[in-house]
Amino acid sequence: MLSSTHGTTGSGTESPWEGLVTSALLGTDRRTPPAEIMTTGRDAPVALLDAAALHTVRRRAGLRPARAGARPERAPHDGRKRLPEPAVRRLGLLLADRSAPSGGGRRGTAPDLTELLPQWLAAANEHGYQAPAPVLPALLDAARARTDLRPAALAFAGPRGLWLARLNPEWRFALRGGSGGTLLPDVRDDEAVRRLWDEGLFAERVALLGAVRAHDDEAARALLASTWGAERAEDRLMFLDSLRTGLSATDEPFLERALSDRSRNVRSTAAELLSALPQSALAGRMAARAATCVSMDRTGGGQVIAVEAPHECDADMQRDGVVPTPPAGRGERSWWLGQLVEAAPLSTWPRRLGGRTPEEIVTLPVLDDWADELHAAWCRAAVRQRDARWAAALLGTAVAARAAGPGTPSLAERAKLLAILPAPERASWVAAFISAHGLSEAFQVLGVCAVPWAEPLGRAVVDALDIARDGGSYPWSFSGVMGLAERCLDPAEASRLELLTATPDEGENASPGAGGYWSEAFQRLVSTLRLRAAMLSELTELPEPLEPPRISGQTETAEISEPLEGAKP
């Protein structure tokens, strides 16, 4: 007979149960079951199954009763408005969908629901709805599987989602970062704020710091300073990074002190934040250093920019955030120059370069092949300082933009510069870029445009797709842009796109079967746009029905019918 707690198998170290499991996994031909379960005349598989059944019952019966755990605290109240029932059903469908886009070939005509979930969550959060309690487990599972969903999913899950996440180790990610779901005290309650700051989880403390900062930035800095020296380096870095929101000149003294932090990453982040404040002392120091490196010169009768990169990275430069060691393949002097120019206020250059405008400065020739380095640093400075005029100057005209060339921003830099421009200007630039250069280089810059796309941009994308279809190309060459169109086109465009769902005649040079693929792609696009329109309408609150006008002296039937039923004749 098998013992439930003692004995070994052929390995000499396994428990009886482990021996049975090993034999079952490997097969009785490869691993003979323990000798004590084998009886004369019985096949090994049958003996193994009988012993497993007996041992399972014995293991269950041998469990000792445990002391009941403490009852969980009640879930906190979520005061947001309830989700409309049609939207509840839609969310259930989106969370239940486990399909994933195929790596190639036909995707069919059905919308990809997994790609619509982020948009649904963003719209629900914008309307201020609370998550229905029954969907919280599926919502947290979806957020665990997809990091891109986490901020919106946790914000929608709210305080009850965070409460639930504490009860399941698989949802611990919800407790580590982000403010979504954190139930915060009233920021005017100093005692409650102090208690949460001293005792709360890191995610709660980050959220608390942001909430206090939105109410009183001086109080937030005082709260952070009170425990700064005792915080871990990674936590100090995260807290410092949270100061990006609402960054102002009043943050400068705290950031200046952080320049002497023992962590290099904290020092670098503090320097970056200070350089984003053009009037800060650090920005002034960087401007003075950068100005000694870049100047006007005259050669061949024309005005040019001359560059003399730094010859050393001294201790003062390093304290101000200049990293002395360049990455592999990068020269030291160009590395130092880029950091100085990037951190210098952009207002330095019109004064330094003869009173010229940003538009004039970026067109000046640069000596000795320094143009790429100088323009790239200006691009980073424009992004850091959120300077729309410099961003537009560095982008240039969309029609003349090239994929590469001296002083030309890369596609990644263009996308960052575009993100600074106002949404209408951004959409117009990208629409003109697509009209001039097609879709092959447009994917990255399309990703920074506001959703839904403005009409000129949407029309430019659809026209470019139509041209590609007429050219006989396969649609999966444009699958990335088509996927963006499904998520970003205005749903009102669905009717106009109906004509493109028909299968086109295949031209002489068309790829075999391309017409059918294009037809499916446009059918999926149209059906996705209509589904998005339905989603948004379900999330729109219907106005309360108006009461019919009441005539003076008239009494509602419902108000008098009940007393009349019991009245005596």
Side-chain angles (χ1 to χ4, degrees):
M1 241 190 192
L2 291 173
S3 168
S4 61
T5 56
H6 301 288
T8 59
T9 64
S11 67
T13 58
E14 293 177 320
S15 69
W17 177 256
E18 291 170 340
L20 292 174
V21 171
T22 302
S23 296
L25 290 174
L26 297 178
T28 55
D29 291 338
R30 298 177 59 192
R31 174 68 179 269
T32 303
E36 57 266 30
I37 73 168
M38 299 298 297
T39 57
T40 306
R42 300 184 70 197
D43 293 334
V46 175
L48 177 67
L49 292 175
D50 286 346
L54 176 63
H55 205 57
T56 298
V57 174
R58 182 172 291 151
R59 282 165 59 87
R60 292 175 178 172
L63 289 176
R64 295 181 177 180
R67 184 179 298 275
R71 183 188 296 271
E73 62 182 6
R74 290 179 63 87
H77 174 67
D78 191 338
R80 295 174 294 177
K81 56 190 176 185
R82 297 185 63 179
L83 194 64
E85 192 57 38
V88 174
R89 292 193 293 270
R90 179 74 64 188
L91 176 59
L93 292 174
L94 295 176
L95 290 172
D97 186 78
R98 291 292 182 265
S99 60
S102 57
R106 296 190 181 227
R107 284 178 49 200
T109 61
D112 182 3
L113 299 185
T114 60
E115 292 302 317
L116 295 181
L117 183 56
Q119 195 167 117
W120 189 98
L121 289 170
N125 286 331
E126 184 179 346
H127 283 286
Y129 289 119
Q130 63 170 266
V135 306
L136 286 175
L139 185 65
L140 290 170
D141 280 341
R144 178 170 64 94
R146 291 179 56 180
T147 56
D148 63 308
L149 283 180
R150 289 183 183 178
L154 293 180
F156 182 59
R160 291 185 298 183
L162 188 65
W163 171 86
L164 188 61
R166 290 192 180 99
L167 306 178
N168 186 342
E170 292 187 348
W171 298 330
R172 255 183 229 146
F173 69 89
L175 310 178
R176 289 197 295 264
S179 60
T182 303
L183 187 64
L184 300 176
D186 188 335
V187 294
R188 294 166 296 186
D189 186 343
D190 295 338
E191 183 179 348
V193 167
R194 186 77 242 180
R195 184 166 56 252
L196 183 59
W197 182 254
D198 291 338
E199 302 173 3
L201 298 166
F202 179 69
E204 295 172 326
R205 300 178 73 213
V206 171
L208 177 66
L209 182 64
V212 174
R213 184 170 171 80
H215 175 69
D216 184 347
D217 61 342
E218 185 176 350
R221 284 191 301 273
L223 189 67
L224 183 56
S226 67
T227 59
W228 181 258
E231 303 287 356
R232 300 182 305 166
E234 54 267 35
D235 292 349
R236 293 199 305 277
L237 182 62
M238 290 292 292
F239 286 134
L240 201 61
D241 196 63
S242 70
L243 299 183
R244 294 181 190 277
T245 303
L247 182 67
S248 70
T250 58
D251 295 314
E252 183 179 357
F254 182 85
L255 295 173
E256 275 284 346
R257 291 194 295 273
L259 289 176
S260 302
D261 194 89
R262 56 188 180 272
S263 166
R264 188 182 70 179
N265 289 333
V266 172
R267 295 195 302 270
S268 297
T269 301
E272 180 188 344
L273 293 174
L274 284 168
S275 66
L277 298 171
Q279 304 303 318
S280 68
L282 180 138
R285 296 192 295 269
M286 288 299 199
R289 293 178 183 121
T292 64
C293 300
V294 181
S295 61
M296 292 300 303
D297 196 0
R298 182 179 293 276
T299 179
Q303 292 287 329
V304 297
I305 296 177
V307 174
E308 180 66 28
H311 290 275
E312 64 172 343
C313 182
D314 58 32
D316 289 338
M317 289 170 61
Q318 293 182 44
R319 183 184 182 276
D320 283 345
V322 178
V323 179
T325 306
R330 186 81 179 272
E332 282 186 337
R333 296 182 66 199
S334 64
W335 173 243
W336 299 333
L337 173 73
Q339 293 179 80
L340 294 182
V341 174
E342 175 184 357
L346 288 164
S347 58
T348 303
W349 306 114
R351 296 195 303 267
R352 178 65 175 162
L353 302 177
R356 291 175 172 82
T357 65
E359 294 79 10
E360 293 169 335
I361 290 173
V362 298
T363 60
L364 287 171
V366 183
L367 293 178
D368 301 327
D369 298 324
W370 283 105
D372 286 352
E373 188 66 53
L374 186 59
H375 281 237
W378 279 336
C379 286
R380 295 193 299 272
V383 172
R384 181 180 295 187
Q385 298 171 37
R386 311 296 296 174
D387 193 309
R389 184 174 182 183
W390 269 90
L394 290 161
L395 279 167
T397 64
V399 175
R402 296 166 294 172
T408 302
S410 66
L411 286 174
E413 288 170 331
R414 284 177 186 161
K416 293 177 182 178
L417 293 170
L418 279 167
I420 301 171
L421 301 183
E425 189 176 344
R426 198 184 320 162
S428 296
W429 195 96
V430 177
F433 182 86
I434 291 172
S435 298
H437 305 286
L439 292 171
S440 59
E441 300 175 7
F443 183 78
Q444 278 184 293
V445 293
L446 276 170
V448 300
C449 292
V451 178
W453 287 337
E455 193 275 337
L457 176 57
R459 185 176 295 275
V461 171
V462 172
D463 288 347
L465 289 171
D466 194 17
I467 291 171
R469 181 188 70 158
D470 291 342
S473 302
Y474 277 121
W476 53 73
S477 302
F478 304 91
S479 59
V481 174
M482 186 66 81
L484 276 177
E486 291 172 10
R487 300 188 295 274
C488 302
L489 267 177
D490 191 331
E493 295 288 310
S495 299
R496 189 172 69 84
L497 298 175
E498 194 72 53
L499 292 174
L500 300 178
T501 60
T503 303
D505 296 331
E506 293 189 4
E508 185 176 330
N509 298 321
S511 302
Y517 284 88
W518 276 110
S519 176
E520 286 185 359
F522 278 114
Q523 288 179 51
R524 184 175 60 253
L525 175 58
V526 170
S527 60
T528 301
L529 293 179
R530 287 179 173 155
L531 178 56
R532 284 176 53 211
M535 281 171 32
L536 296 176
S537 67
E538 292 163 356
L539 288 167
T540 302
E541 281 191 306
L542 296 176
E544 292 292 333
L546 295 176
E547 292 185 2
R550 300 181 61 174
I551 303 173
S552 178
Q554 184 179 16
T555 307
E556 295 282 355
T557 304
E559 293 176 354
I560 64 173
S561 59
E562 186 172 342
L564 287 177
E565 288 182 68
K568 293 183 180 180

